[in-house]
Amino acid sequence: MTKHYYCNPLKSLWALLAFLALPLTALAQGDSPPPVLDSGDTAWMIVASVLVLFMTLPGLALFYGGLVRAKNVLSILVQCLVIASVMSLLWVIYGYTFAVTDGNAFIGSSSQLFLKGLTEDTVNGTIPNSVYVMFQMTFAIITPALMVGAFAERMKFTAVMIFSILWFTFSYLPVWHMAWNGGGLFAGWGVEDFAGGTVVHINAGVAGLLACIMVGKRQGYGKVLMAPHNVPMTVIGAAMLWVGWFGFNAGSELAANGSAGMAMLVTQIATAAAVIAWLAMEWAVSGRPTAVGAATGAVAGLVAITPASGSCGPMGAILIGLASGAVCYLTATTMKRKLGYDDSLDVFGVHGIGGIVGAVLTAVCMAPALGGSAGADFNMVSQIIVQSKSILVTIIWSGAVAGVILSVLKATIGLRVSENDEEIGLDQTEHNESAYE
């Protein structure tokens, strides 16, 4: 007997609508659509990662290398190169997991030690997570490398490396987590630090200041001329830092979009303004603008715009650039002379102070009235307070960590080379090489 099946059009229509509604039902129950890779974002972030690595190798190495005396230039280049290598390994072994993953307000968890679970298909937003790991690795590389300029020309290579490793572990990673993990202390306060004012510059600047004080002054400091041995090298290095910094700031948006474009624009504007401000101060005080002054002013502007680059507009960038150029000049010259510390290459004066200036002015320049991206209910006073709190915590945290590490090293292996080795130069005594014949 043949069966006849009757198809009810109304029931079929309801079934089709129910099937089409399944994705909406899933979303209503709290599920989110799977992340989708964006080839444009991915391409940009690969380029940004290369640019930030370019800042250290060779940008920072040449900038610092030209500022020291000829007998110590190789020691600077070696320190930057080896720090880059060591931090690359530490970042993938344990740095990434303790910085990035959820844990508590101060540090992440050990859930992704050795990049556990990372494959070529792992996605972070619209980019492969491998690209994000690489991008953040370049930040982990440059931050300890910044410190070597503070104690250049007299610290043992062994002490430099141990100090960098321990400081990275106990200061860089926690401050990263506090600022950039959603559950971190600074993030909970509502601190705006787009690309690393606290994480990179204040953090490294304070540690560098403690280190240069505890290591002690160079022999003859204040009595013997210690002029840069290769000013063109320094200017070239500063130019490389300037170019690479677009990856640093615009890359921190993690996408190729309008926010990244604005971050790139304000970075250029602030840096240009800082060069003008530094040279104006130098010209007024000493009677001549110098190439080293222009190069250092550029770095000061780059530092100061870093925390604000995701939230300020062009006019705010001019304000940040002018302020950082003037304040960093006074810190690196007048204040350093009066207090008598030997910050060889002005790490604290440029990175520490520049980071502080930028972090505070971020709260001013993110205001809508100055072209910033804050909403209509923005409260500048409240934002200045939270920015200041993050600065204070970073200063105390980095200073305490650096002080403990340096004290232990000083009591065990010693921090600085012998007087004879310092007189000969670190290139020969630490590395058995010479930059020039």
Side-chain angles (χ1 to χ4, degrees):
M1 181 177 179
T2 303
K3 292 184 178 180
H4 297 279
Y5 295 94
Y6 172 69
C7 180
N8 188 320
L10 186 59
K11 287 185 177 180
S12 300
L13 178 61
W14 280 112
L16 176 61
L17 291 175
F19 175 76
L20 294 175
L22 282 175
L24 297 177
T25 303
L27 286 175
Q29 293 174 346
D31 295 335
S32 54
V36 178
L37 282 177
D38 184 281
S39 60
D41 291 347
T42 300
W44 160 236
M45 290 310 301
I46 291 173
V47 172
S49 300
V50 173
L51 287 171
V52 183
L53 182 60
F54 183 70
M55 290 170 64
T56 305
L57 302 174
L60 184 70
L62 294 178
F63 178 69
Y64 280 172
L67 289 172
V68 298
R69 289 168 288 180
K71 62 184 179 180
N72 295 311
V73 57
L74 287 182
S75 71
I76 293 294
L77 302 183
V78 171
Q79 288 170 20
C80 289
L81 182 61
V82 177
I83 284 174
S85 302
V86 171
M87 296 307 150
S88 297
L89 297 181
L90 296 184
W91 182 249
V92 301
I93 294 170
Y94 66 85
Y96 176 83
T97 189
F98 286 122
V100 177
T101 64
D102 293 334
N104 54 45
F106 300 96
I107 198 70
S109 72
S110 60
S111 61
Q112 295 186 42
L113 286 170
F114 298 95
L115 299 182
K116 179 182 177 182
L118 179 68
T119 70
E120 64 181 27
D121 299 319
T122 311
V123 178
N124 188 323
T126 59
I127 65 174
N129 201 44
S130 57
V131 176
Y132 180 72
V133 171
M134 178 65 194
F135 180 66
Q136 288 299 336
M137 179 194 292
T138 60
F139 281 64
I141 286 169
I142 196 169
T143 307
L146 291 174
M147 298 188 298
V148 305
F151 42 77
E153 302 194 298
R154 73 253 200 212
M155 193 167 179
K156 292 179 179 178
F157 179 72
T158 305
V160 171
M161 298 313 302
I162 296 175
F163 173 57
S164 298
I165 291 168
L166 294 176
W167 182 86
F168 163 82
T169 304
F170 295 107
S171 189
Y172 179 77
L173 297 180
V175 177
W176 194 110
H177 184 83
M178 285 189 271
W180 289 337
N181 179 278
L185 182 67
F186 299 170
W189 289 345
V191 174
E192 178 68 26
D193 187 358
F194 188 69
T198 54
V199 180
V200 177
H201 300 292
I202 300 173
N203 207 3
V206 170
L209 176 64
L210 262 291
C212 78
I213 292 171
M214 294 187 68
V215 172
K217 302 175 186 178
R218 289 167 289 178
Q219 293 182 59
Y221 178 71
K223 301 175 183 178
V224 177
L225 180 64
M226 298 180 178
H229 91 282
N230 193 325
V231 173
M233 181 185 291
T234 292
V235 175
I236 291 169
M240 290 176 173
L241 284 168
W242 191 332
V243 172
W245 223 286
F246 294 123
F248 201 83
N249 287 356
S252 291
E253 174 62 18
L254 303 180
N257 58 21
S259 295
M262 182 61 77
M264 185 176 190
L265 175 61
V266 298
T267 297
Q268 178 70 16
I269 293 170
T271 307
V275 171
I276 301 304
W278 186 292
L279 286 184
M281 295 288 291
E282 186 178 49
W283 207 337
V285 172
S286 66
R288 290 183 178 86
T290 67
V292 171
T296 310
V299 176
L302 291 164
V303 168
I305 194 60
T306 292
S309 56
S311 58
C312 83
M315 296 304 102
I318 293 176
L319 173 61
I320 289 174
L322 293 175
S324 61
V327 174
C328 289
Y329 172 81
L330 292 173
T331 304
T333 55
T334 304
M335 191 180 89
K336 185 170 75 168
R337 281 196 300 267
K338 287 186 176 180
L339 296 181
Y341 59 89
D342 183 13
D343 180 0
S344 306
L345 310 182
D346 295 314
V347 174
F348 177 71
V350 173
H351 294 277
I353 296 299
I356 292 170
V357 170
V360 173
L361 288 181
T362 295
V364 176
C365 296
M366 64 190 295
L370 290 175
S373 62
D377 59 347
F378 173 69
N379 187 313
M380 185 183 297
V381 174
S382 297
Q383 191 65 39
I384 290 174
I385 291 172
V386 299
Q387 296 292 117
S388 300
K389 285 167 61 179
S390 71
I391 293 168
L392 183 61
V393 170
T394 303
I395 290 171
I396 294 172
W397 190 290
S398 182
V401 169
V404 170
I405 296 170
L406 291 164
S407 296
V408 172
L409 291 176
K410 191 171 185 177
T412 53
I413 66 171
L415 291 175
R416 68 184 294 162
V417 298
S418 67
E419 291 185 5
N420 184 61
D421 286 355
E422 185 178 343
E423 182 66 29
I424 295 171
L426 273 59
D427 290 359
Q428 279 288 344
T429 59
E430 290 284 286
H431 306 293
N432 196 30
E433 295 174 301
S434 296
Y436 310 103
E437 293 296 333

